[in-house]
Amino acid sequence: MSVRVRRVYEPPESADGVRVLVDRLWPRGVSKAEAHIDEWPKALTPSTELRHWYHSGAGSYDEFARRYEAELAAPEAAELLEHVRELARSGAVTLVTAVKDPDESHASVLARLLSP
């Protein structure tokens, strides 16, 4: 099982495997052809309210991760999380995001939850 996180602005690599966009909005300045996205499960992304709360600076990354994990327990998100986990069991999966700091973002929370 291989799950990694990459920014959408980095050129795709053959080692990426299935590329899953984990942002709710399409990244600016990147065409669909350039991004090489295989799946875009929008319901797997943080809610608009949680994104706004976190980006306002009101809370810590740890609190954001806790709240996001709670959102991922909802049935639709849990089903999509399991789908991506199945993809990772079959081969490499790259979680693609436009965030500037992937290490302190929802993408790193997803990668942690998807890793064995």
Side-chain angles (χ1 to χ4, degrees):
M1 180 183 286
S2 171
V3 176
R4 67 181 185 162
V5 176
R6 295 190 66 221
R7 293 194 71 222
V8 71
Y9 304 106
E10 299 169 339
E13 297 177 354
S14 59
D16 286 348
V18 177
R19 290 172 56 90
V20 180
L21 180 63
V22 293
D23 293 345
R24 187 167 298 266
L25 304 173
W26 187 263
R28 291 178 189 221
V30 178
S31 73
K32 292 185 181 188
E34 291 171 323
H36 296 277
I37 299 300
D38 298 303
E39 303 215 6
W40 188 12
K42 293 179 187 177
L44 197 58
T45 63
S47 66
T48 300
E49 296 78 16
L50 182 57
R51 282 187 303 108
H52 287 182
W53 173 83
Y54 183 51
H55 293 299
S56 73
S60 68
Y61 172 72
D62 291 335
E63 179 64 15
F64 166 77
R66 187 190 67 71
R67 290 182 183 196
Y68 181 40
E69 286 183 43
E71 288 186 355
L72 290 171
E76 184 179 8
E79 185 177 317
L80 287 169
L81 188 62
E82 185 56 33
H83 169 69
V84 176
R85 188 174 285 120
E86 286 297 321
L87 292 173
R89 287 184 185 125
S90 301
V93 169
T94 299
L95 305 177
V96 180
T97 182
V99 299
K100 291 179 183 175
D101 185 4
D103 292 336
E104 290 204 357
S105 73
H106 64 290
S108 67
V109 174
L110 285 173
R112 180 175 43 81
L113 293 174
L114 292 167
S115 295

